[in-house]
C-alpha cells in the first residue's frame, strides 16, 4: 500500500528496519538480564549457602573432634594391656585395664579359673601387690602373669585321699606287732625283770641321777649300765666285758616303747648308724628317766 508522503523505495527500508528492531531488540535486554542474574545466583548459591554450610559443617565436625580429644583422655585412664595369665599349665590371653589394681586382676583371674582370690598367689617380678595398679608396677604389653593356687574342689580332692591314707597308716600301726612281742626282743624279755633293776616311778618324769643307770639287759641278755658324762658330752655303755664311750653327737636317734605288762619300764634303742641294724638295745629302763635320756642324748640336756 502506498503511504502518503513516503516514497516506494523508502517504505521498504523502514519496514525492514522495524522488523530488524523487533527481532533483535528484545533479545539483547533479556540476555543482559540473564547474564546479570547468573553471577548473583551462583554467588548466592555458591557463596552464601556455602558459607552457611561451612560453619555448620565445622560445628558438626567440632563435636567429634572434642569427643576424640576427651576420649583420648579417658582412654589414657582405660588403657589396655595384653597379658598372658598362666595357671596350672593353662594359659589365658587377657586384655586388662592398665590402671586397675592387683586386687581387681585377682577378680578377673577368679572369673577365668574359678580360683578364689584369697587362694591366689599372683606373681609378676615377685608377688603382685593388691593395692597398686598395673601401671605403677610397670606391667607392659605381653607380660606373663604367673598364678599359683588350688581351687576349693582341688583342695577337697587332695585332702580326702590324704586323710584316708593317714587313717590307713594309723590302722597299720595299730596292727603292727609291738616291739616287745617280736622274736628278737622276746628272748630277752622272757628272762623276766632283773633282780637288781632300779625302781621305777610310773607317771613321773625325773632328771637323770648322778649315778649310772644299772641293772638292765642288753640284746644278748647280759647286764648293762648307762653312764652320762655330761662334761665330756659322752654316753658310756658298760658291760661286764668292756665299756663303749660314745660321743653323744654320734647317736642319731633314741627310740623307746613300754614293755607290755610292765609299762613302768621301757625297752630303749640308741641308733649308732644309718639303719635299724645299728640299734643298741637296752631293756628294763625305768620310765621316769626315759624323757631325760632322750633329751640328754639328742642335745636338750642341761647341767644340773
Amino acid at each position: 500500500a502506498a503511504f502518503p508522503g513516503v516514497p516506494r523505495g523508502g517504505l521498504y527500508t523502514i519496514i525492514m528496519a522495524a522488523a530488524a528492531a523487533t527481532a533483535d531488540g528484545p533479545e539483547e535486554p533479556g540476555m543482559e538480564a540473564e547474564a546479570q542474574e547468573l553471577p548473583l545466583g551462583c554467588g548466592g548459591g555458591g557463596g552464601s549457602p556455602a558459607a552457611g554450610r561451612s560453619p555448620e559443617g565445622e560445628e558438626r565436625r567440632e563435636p567429634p573432634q572434642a569427643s576424640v580429644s576427651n576420649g583420648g583422655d579417658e582412654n589414657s585412664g582405660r588403657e589396655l594391656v595384653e597379658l598372658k595369665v598362666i595357671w596350672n599349665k593353662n594359659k589365658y590371653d587377657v586384655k586388662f585395664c592398665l590402671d586397675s589394681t592387683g586386687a581387681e586382676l585377682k577378680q578377673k583371674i577368679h572369673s577365668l579359673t574359678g580360683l578364689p582370690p584369697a587362694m591366689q598367689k599372683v606373681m609378676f617380678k615377685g608377688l603382685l601387690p593388691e593395692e597398686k595398679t598395673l601401671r605403677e608396677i610397670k606391667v607392659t604389653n605381653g607380660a606373663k602373669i604367673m598364678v599359683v593356687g588350688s581351687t576349693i574342689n582341688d583342695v577337697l580332692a587332695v585332702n580326702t585321699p590324704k586323710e584316708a591314707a593317714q587313717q590307713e597308716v594309723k590302722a597299720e600301726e595299730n596292727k603292727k606287732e609291738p616291739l616287745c612281742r617280736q622274736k628278737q626282743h622276746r628272748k630277752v624279755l622272757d628272762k623276766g625283770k632283773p633282780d637288781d633293776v632300779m625302781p621305777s616311778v610310773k607317771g613321773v618324769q625325773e632328771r637323770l641321777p648322778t649315778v649310772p643307770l644299772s641293772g638292765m639287759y642288753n640284746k644278748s641278755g647280759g647286764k648293762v649300765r648307762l653312764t652320762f658324762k655330761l662334761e665330756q658330752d659322752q654316753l658310756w655303755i658298760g658291760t661286764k666285758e668292756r665299756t663303749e664311750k660314745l660321743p653323744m653327737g654320734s647317736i642319731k636317734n633314741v627310740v623307746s616303747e613300754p614293755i607290755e605288762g610292765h609299762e613302768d619300764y621301757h625297752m630303749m634303742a640308741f641308733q649308732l648308724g644309718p639303719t635299724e641294724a645299728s640299734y643298741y638295745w637296752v631293756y628294763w629302763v625305768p620310765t621316769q628317766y626315759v624323757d631325760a635320756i632322750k633329751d640328754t642324748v639328742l642335745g636338750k640336756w642341761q647341767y644340773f
Side-chain angles (χ1 to χ4, degrees):
F3 291 89
V6 179
R8 181 177 293 269
L11 179 61
Y12 176 79
T13 302
I14 292 171
I15 292 172
M16 294 301 293
T22 303
D24 297 334
E27 289 180 3
E28 291 178 0
M31 292 178 65
E32 290 176 2
E34 288 178 6
Q36 291 175 356
E37 287 175 3
L38 279 174
L40 291 175
C42 290
S48 176
R53 281 196 304 271
S54 178
E56 290 177 7
E58 290 176 0
E59 288 175 5
R60 290 193 190 99
R61 285 194 298 270
E62 282 174 5
Q65 289 175 357
S67 174
V68 169
S69 175
N70 293 334
D73 295 337
E74 291 176 5
N75 285 338
S76 67
R78 287 186 282 182
E79 184 178 350
L80 301 179
V81 286
E82 295 183 359
L83 308 175
K84 291 188 180 296
V85 177
I86 303 173
W87 171 72
N88 200 22
K89 297 182 180 179
N90 296 318
K91 295 181 181 180
Y92 304 87
D93 293 326
V94 178
K95 287 186 178 180
F96 202 68
C97 179
L98 194 58
D99 288 298
S100 294
T101 62
E104 291 171 326
L105 179 58
K106 281 190 170 186
Q107 292 293 341
K108 179 66 175 179
I109 293 171
H110 180 209
S111 67
L112 292 172
T113 65
L115 186 63
M119 301 179 72
Q120 295 177 22
K121 182 181 283 187
V122 182
M123 287 173 286
F124 173 75
K125 297 180 180 178
L127 196 62
L128 185 75
E130 292 191 3
E131 69 282 359
K132 290 188 176 181
T133 65
L134 304 192
R135 187 187 298 276
E136 288 174 329
I137 61 174
K138 296 180 171 51
V139 173
T140 56
N141 214 36
K144 291 183 179 179
I145 306 294
M146 305 298 296
V147 182
V148 179
S150 300
T151 63
I152 294 175
N153 290 337
D154 291 337
V155 171
L156 293 176
V158 170
N159 285 345
T160 301
K162 279 187 178 180
E163 292 173 359
Q166 289 174 354
Q167 290 176 356
E168 289 178 4
V169 169
K170 288 181 180 179
E172 288 297 325
E173 289 177 351
N174 292 334
K175 291 179 183 179
K176 188 177 179 180
E177 188 177 31
L179 291 172
C180 60
R181 293 185 189 178
Q182 295 178 13
K183 185 177 180 179
Q184 60 171 326
H185 304 300
R186 193 72 260 166
K187 65 180 182 180
V188 179
L189 295 173
D190 284 346
K191 294 177 63 174
K193 184 166 58 174
D195 295 335
D196 58 348
V197 71
M198 296 180 70
S200 65
V201 182
K202 190 175 181 180
V204 176
Q205 295 181 7
E206 295 184 3
R207 296 176 179 177
L208 291 175
T210 56
V211 298
L213 298 178
S214 60
M216 300 170 290
Y217 290 138
N218 61 18
K219 64 179 181 180
S220 302
K223 287 293 184 68
V224 66
R225 66 182 177 275
L226 302 177
T227 305
F228 297 90
K229 294 290 186 177
L230 303 183
E231 67 280 1
Q232 300 176 34
D233 197 23
Q234 291 180 345
L235 168 62
W236 292 9
I237 302 177
T239 63
K240 185 178 180 181
E241 294 79 20
R242 64 184 178 199
T243 299
E244 296 285 346
K245 298 180 180 181
L246 304 174
M248 291 190 187
S250 69
I251 301 173
K252 303 184 182 304
N253 197 13
V254 181
V255 297
S256 69
E257 182 181 289
I259 298 173
E260 194 173 41
H262 300 275
E263 283 76 12
D264 49 343
Y265 288 93
H266 280 225
M267 49 187 294
M268 178 176 286
F270 301 95
Q271 184 178 352
L272 307 180
T275 65
E276 290 187 6
S278 66
Y279 283 6
Y280 187 97
W281 286 98
V282 178
Y283 304 87
W284 302 101
V285 180
T287 187
Q288 70 268 24
Y289 299 130
V290 169
D291 288 341
I293 292 172
K294 290 181 178 179
D295 290 347
T296 300
V297 172
L298 299 178
K300 299 180 182 178
W301 56 272
Q302 298 177 351
Y303 289 101
F304 301 124

